[in-house]
Amino acid sequence: MENFFKKKPQLSSPLEGTSDGSYEVYLQNLPTDPNQVRRTYLQRSPFQPRGHNFKFEKFENQQRRFVSDWFKEFEKLKIHEGGVNSAHNRAWQKCESEYETRLNAVVDCIRFLLNQWLAFRGHDESDGSSNRGNFLELLHFLADHNEDINAVTLKNIPLKLQMTSPKIQKDIVSCVATETTNAIIREMDGALFSVLMDESRDISTKEQMAVVLRYVDKNGYVVERFVGIEHVSSTTAASLKESLDNMFSRFGLSLSMLRGQGYDGASNMQGEFNVSMLVNVVGVSAKRCDILHEKYALAVIEALGKGELSSGQGLNKKITLKHPADTHWSSHYGTLMSIISMFPSVVDVLEIIEVEGNSEQRFQAKTLLKLMQSFDFVFCLFLMKNLLGYVNELSQALQRKDQDILNAVKLVEVYKHNLQKLRDKLNNRFNESNTELLICLACLCPNDLFAAFDKEKLLRLVEFYPKDFFAIDLIALEMQLDVYITDLRSSA
């Protein structure tokens, strides 16, 4: 090469323009990988460089260069590329055919391994290994039983053309995943769907979110399809929602078609509060655990003094906040029971953290205090305590190694019976009159500048208390309510 091109200082491009419109080639910037040159040539297919600006060369006493129009003018140049059976085209077709055969063999191996849920890589993939991993061993098997594949794979071609590197495997797997996802979206055909999510960590401890779509297909069957794993920067509700929005946008799905959401470990997605967060904030250090136990001990002593608790052997034992496990419902039940038993003490510890903690801890403590002392939290706390209490025996039975199927089936029937009793109890407690009363009371909620305010419902509320209002009061009440809501909203 050095006999034909003069070396120049290294530049950003192998071709550098000159003042007369020609180009000079710099050896140092030419591609060092011959396979890259070969791939580029194959992608271009046989062609004549009609658009190339050829360099001027001194020929006798004149500066001459090749002119692209000569391809049209001279017949020999026209047939240089040749027809279908020319040397150029035959070489190009042969390379294309070999590449297609090799690519199909590699894709077939990958499809088989994906369909069987098998690992690709082996512990030792060297030539002398007795087991080079599922992918290489399967490709060897195909090559041994097919002469066409054997001629264009493995040792019969240069190493960089074998298409067996982990990077190429991952690229093809990514293409398969894209095609599979597109097939799922086409199968949905704009149907309503639900999303099931679970957060987990991979082996490198990176946070990731697994997403499953649940929908009814054209045949009326309920279908659940895994559509991917999204890596997330954090497991906060905002971060997970942003990742879900990005995934929906990429798949062309609309949130308006979403009709349900289900979560397992991804409890952050269910709201600002979760039990694990409370346990972590209150029991993150030995100092806070000691404060919690001290506060609880004082509360027990005070209750004993007031006669609210009985004393005796085995009573009023030391209680701690238990960390709930992701897959053991009985552990969640134990956590809720300890929160109920130590509720005042937990509140006291959060108030201390709100004053003495750092900025992040103070913010967490303030948020937890506000949520814990709300009606919604207390109602849900006792409701979940009852639900998990009914299923506690069943959960423990299903976790045993020596599982008794007949006993488990019986416990399922017991749980269903108790759950139905709880439903009937709630239905009887909230009859039509009570429900209407609660709806009317909700009109006095001050959130968002009394956005729920409804004068007609408040007038209806008065009818539930006829002994508390005189007839003349009812006449003036409508105008008083107008003045009341206007005054509140204007002074906010």
Side-chain angles (χ1 to χ4, degrees):
M1 293 288 285
E2 294 180 359
N3 295 330
F4 300 96
F5 298 104
K6 183 172 64 175
K7 287 187 176 181
K8 295 289 184 179
Q10 186 171 358
L11 299 172
S12 58
S13 172
L15 295 178
E16 188 69 20
T18 60
S19 58
D20 59 0
S22 62
Y23 289 87
E24 292 185 351
V25 179
Y26 299 95
L27 292 179
Q28 294 179 349
N29 290 340
L30 286 174
T32 57
D33 183 2
N35 294 318
Q36 181 182 351
V37 178
R38 187 180 293 109
R39 283 194 297 270
T40 303
Y41 176 77
L42 290 174
Q43 289 172 355
R44 296 288 297 271
S45 74
F47 76 102
Q48 294 174 337
R50 297 174 183 270
H52 183 68
N53 191 9
F54 292 92
K55 178 183 176 182
F56 280 96
E57 296 285 349
K58 187 175 182 181
F59 186 77
E60 295 182 350
N61 296 326
Q62 297 180 351
Q63 292 289 335
R64 303 289 298 274
R65 67 174 179 177
F66 186 87
V67 180
S68 299
D69 291 340
W70 290 350
F71 285 115
K72 301 178 181 178
E73 183 176 349
F74 297 101
E75 187 65 26
K76 289 186 177 180
L77 290 177
K78 289 183 180 180
I79 64 174
H80 176 70
E81 177 182 332
V84 176
N85 294 321
S86 68
H88 281 276
N89 279 317
R90 286 200 306 270
W92 178 70
Q93 290 169 1
K94 180 182 178 181
C95 291
E96 186 181 53
S97 176
E98 292 178 352
Y99 177 81
E100 184 177 357
T101 302
R102 182 163 55 252
L103 178 61
N104 286 334
V106 171
V107 170
D108 287 342
C109 291
I110 289 177
R111 289 177 60 191
F112 177 84
L113 295 176
L114 290 175
N115 190 55
Q116 298 299 320
W117 294 14
L118 297 175
F120 281 53
R121 305 292 305 280
H123 178 68
D124 182 5
E125 296 186 347
S126 62
D127 292 336
S129 174
S130 59
N131 186 351
R132 301 179 63 190
N134 291 328
F135 175 76
L136 291 177
E137 292 294 338
L138 183 58
L139 187 59
H140 267 287
F141 178 84
L142 285 179
D144 291 341
H145 292 77
N146 190 308
E147 289 296 331
D148 293 336
I149 295 177
N150 183 55
V152 296
T153 56
L154 302 174
K155 292 185 178 181
N156 293 324
I157 56 173
L159 179 63
K160 292 187 177 180
L161 298 179
Q162 292 182 6
M163 301 180 69
T164 56
S165 69
K167 184 178 184 301
I168 292 179
Q169 295 175 34
K170 292 179 180 178
D171 288 343
I172 297 177
V173 169
S174 179
C175 294
V176 172
T178 300
E179 290 299 319
T180 303
T181 304
N182 292 337
I184 294 172
I185 301 303
R186 289 195 298 269
E187 183 185 52
M188 292 176 64
D189 194 25
L192 302 175
F193 65 94
S194 299
V195 61
L196 307 176
M197 295 173 53
D198 188 14
E199 60 177 287
S200 61
R201 293 184 178 182
D202 59 16
I203 193 171
S204 61
T205 69
K206 291 182 179 179
E207 295 289 354
Q208 55 189 14
M209 174 180 68
V211 181
V212 173
L213 298 181
R214 179 184 175 96
Y215 56 93
V216 179
D217 65 9
K218 295 180 180 179
N219 298 320
Y221 293 103
V222 177
V223 180
E224 291 184 355
R225 301 291 191 196
F226 173 74
V227 293
I229 293 178
E230 289 285 303
H231 285 282
V232 292
S233 56
S234 65
T235 56
T236 61
S239 177
L240 295 176
K241 182 180 181 299
E242 181 181 359
S243 298
L244 187 63
D245 288 343
N246 293 336
M247 176 179 280
F248 279 11
S249 176
R250 191 166 65 250
F251 295 158
L253 298 174
S254 173
L255 284 174
S256 63
M257 307 300 289
L258 181 64
R259 289 298 181 269
Q261 304 173 58
Y263 310 98
D264 183 14
S267 53
N268 286 335
M269 292 293 291
Q270 302 174 46
E272 295 181 63
F273 181 86
N274 62 75
V275 173
S276 297
M277 179 181 178
L278 174 62
V279 176
N280 290 335
V281 171
V282 175
V284 69
S285 65
K287 178 182 177 180
R288 292 182 188 175
C289 289
D290 291 341
I291 296 175
L292 179 63
H293 294 153
E294 181 182 346
K295 294 289 184 182
Y296 179 69
L298 293 175
V300 170
I301 294 173
E302 182 179 356
L304 288 172
K306 294 180 179 179
E308 296 176 356
L309 291 177
S310 301
S311 60
Q313 186 176 1
L315 300 178
N316 308 315
K317 293 182 178 179
K318 183 179 179 180
I319 301 177
T320 58
L321 283 180
K322 301 178 180 179
H323 285 266
D326 289 338
T327 57
H328 290 199
W329 288 109
S330 58
S331 67
H332 288 263
Y333 176 66
T335 301
L336 295 182
M337 292 296 292
S338 60
I339 291 176
I340 293 173
S341 301
M342 308 178 72
F343 193 90
S345 304
V346 172
V347 172
D348 290 340
V349 174
L350 289 175
E351 290 176 345
I352 295 174
I353 298 173
E354 188 180 15
V355 176
E356 299 179 357
N358 56 39
S359 58
E360 182 180 357
Q361 293 169 349
R362 290 197 302 270
F363 173 77
Q364 291 177 332
K366 183 178 180 180
T367 302
L368 290 172
L369 279 172
K370 180 180 179 181
L371 293 170
M372 284 187 64
Q373 298 180 79
S374 66
F375 171 80
D376 290 346
F377 173 80
V378 176
F379 178 82
C380 291
L381 179 65
F382 280 88
L383 177 62
M384 292 305 300
K385 185 264 297 183
N386 290 337
L387 290 176
L388 295 180
Y390 287 138
V391 79
N392 187 47
E393 291 294 330
L394 174 61
S395 178
Q396 291 183 350
L398 294 177
Q399 294 292 337
R400 295 193 186 103
K401 293 182 178 180
D402 53 341
Q403 192 174 118
D404 187 344
I405 299 298
L406 294 178
N407 182 55
V409 172
K410 180 181 178 181
L411 289 175
V412 170
E413 294 298 326
V414 171
Y415 173 67
K416 291 170 61 178
H417 176 72
N418 288 329
L419 186 61
Q420 187 59 50
K421 285 176 59 178
L422 181 61
R423 287 175 175 171
D424 296 338
K425 183 179 179 180
L426 290 174
N427 289 334
N428 294 333
R429 180 167 296 181
F430 296 101
N431 53 34
E432 291 185 6
S433 298
N434 290 341
T435 302
E436 186 179 8
L437 177 61
L438 291 174
I439 293 174
C440 293
L441 285 173
C443 296
L444 294 173
C445 179
N447 292 345
D448 299 325
L449 294 177
F450 288 85
F453 184 85
D454 190 323
K455 182 175 64 176
E456 298 301 326
K457 290 181 180 179
L458 290 177
L459 292 174
R460 171 61 179 155
L461 178 63
V462 173
E463 297 177 10
F464 286 96
Y465 303 94
K467 296 182 179 180
D468 296 332
F469 294 89
F470 296 106
I472 193 172
D473 295 331
L474 297 177
I475 297 174
L477 182 59
E478 184 173 356
M479 291 179 292
Q480 290 174 347
L481 288 174
D482 287 333
V483 174
Y484 170 76
I485 190 62
T486 303
D487 180 52
L488 280 177
R489 288 175 175 171
S490 62
S491 61

